[in-house]
């Protein structure tokens, strides 16, 4: 029951927060820039500089341009769906290739958020999984793709 309440609360957050997106006709024009889209559409959930404060909304600040373009392309082509219902909040099929490239550039130039320093047991277990994986569960080390500093590269996210 507790999980259901949290799921309903999270869903309500997305519907309320993202329903205030300024979906003016100008935003749907193919000549809207990536920066305009970031400010007028994406910022409603991801924040103006991609620094989302909601745990369910991905942080885009400092993410690699290539990765963002791939994700936007997959939303546009309906290859990928969002856990938070984002594809219902905005019509990705209207994005042009230029706009996707510009959005990738915009977010890649933002300063990535820094995590809080802590020595919690969860962080310690997460670090061990990141560095060593879990052979019993068939999980390779995350660092093998994302790098020792979790910076990723090109199509591999931070």
């Amino acid at each position: 029951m507790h999980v259901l309440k949290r799921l309903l609360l999270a869903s309500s957050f997305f519907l309320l927060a993202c329903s205030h997106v300024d979906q003016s006709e100008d935003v749907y024009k193919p000549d809207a820039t990536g920066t305009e889209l970031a400010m007028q559409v994406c910022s409603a959930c991801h924040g103006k500089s991609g620094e989302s404060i909601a745990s369910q909304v991905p942080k885009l600040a400092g993410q690699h341009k290539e990765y963002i373009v791939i994700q936007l392309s997959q939303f546009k082509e309906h290859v990928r769906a969002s856990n938070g219902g984002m594809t219902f909040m905005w019509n990705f099929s209207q994005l042009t290739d230029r706009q996707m490239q510009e959005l990738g550039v915009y977010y890649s130039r933002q300063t990535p958020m820094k995590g809080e320093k802590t020595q919690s047991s969860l962080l310690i277990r997460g670090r061990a999984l990141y560095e060593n994986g879990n052979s019993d569960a068939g999980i390779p080390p995350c660092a093998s793709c994302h790098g020792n500093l979790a910076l990723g590269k090109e199509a591999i996210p931070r």
Side-chain angles (χ1 to χ4, degrees):
M1 187 67 169
H2 180 66
V3 173
L4 181 58
K5 284 182 183 180
R6 291 182 74 187
L7 181 61
L8 288 172
L9 183 62
S11 298
S12 298
F13 166 78
F14 283 114
L15 291 175
L16 289 173
C18 298
S19 65
H20 298 292
V21 171
D22 178 12
Q23 293 185 353
S24 65
E25 288 186 32
D26 292 338
V27 173
Y28 284 113
K29 288 184 178 178
D31 61 343
T33 68
T35 300
E36 289 172 327
L37 291 171
M39 293 296 107
Q40 295 176 6
V41 179
C42 310
S43 65
C45 297
H46 295 282
K48 291 192 185 266
S49 62
E51 295 182 357
S52 165
I53 58 171
S55 63
Q56 302 89 349
V57 178
K59 294 164 179 46
L60 302 178
Q63 195 56 269
H64 303 292
K65 175 190 145 213
E66 297 83 357
Y67 177 75
I68 290 174
V69 171
I70 289 168
Q71 299 309 306
L72 290 171
S73 297
Q74 290 183 349
F75 282 125
K76 179 179 178 174
E77 301 299 324
H78 306 287
V79 174
R80 179 171 188 243
S82 167
N83 293 341
M86 182 174 65
T87 53
F88 299 110
M89 299 298 144
W90 199 71
N91 187 355
F92 286 90
S93 65
Q94 305 224 0
L95 282 174
T96 66
D97 289 342
R98 178 190 54 79
Q99 289 170 328
M100 290 187 283
Q101 292 290 324
E102 289 176 356
L103 282 164
V105 168
Y106 174 81
Y107 285 114
S108 69
R109 291 182 176 166
Q110 305 305 309
T111 303
M113 293 178 74
K114 301 251 186 235
E116 294 179 27
K117 292 191 178 209
T118 179
Q119 288 300 319
S120 74
S121 61
L122 185 60
L123 179 64
I124 292 167
R125 288 188 314 204
R127 178 175 285 136
L129 183 63
Y130 188 88
E131 293 172 353
N132 305 313
N134 181 334
S135 59
D136 293 338
I139 300 171
C142 304
S144 63
C145 293
H146 298 277
N148 292 334
L149 299 177
L151 298 178
K153 185 178 179 183
E154 297 171 358
I156 299 172
R158 298 177 63 83

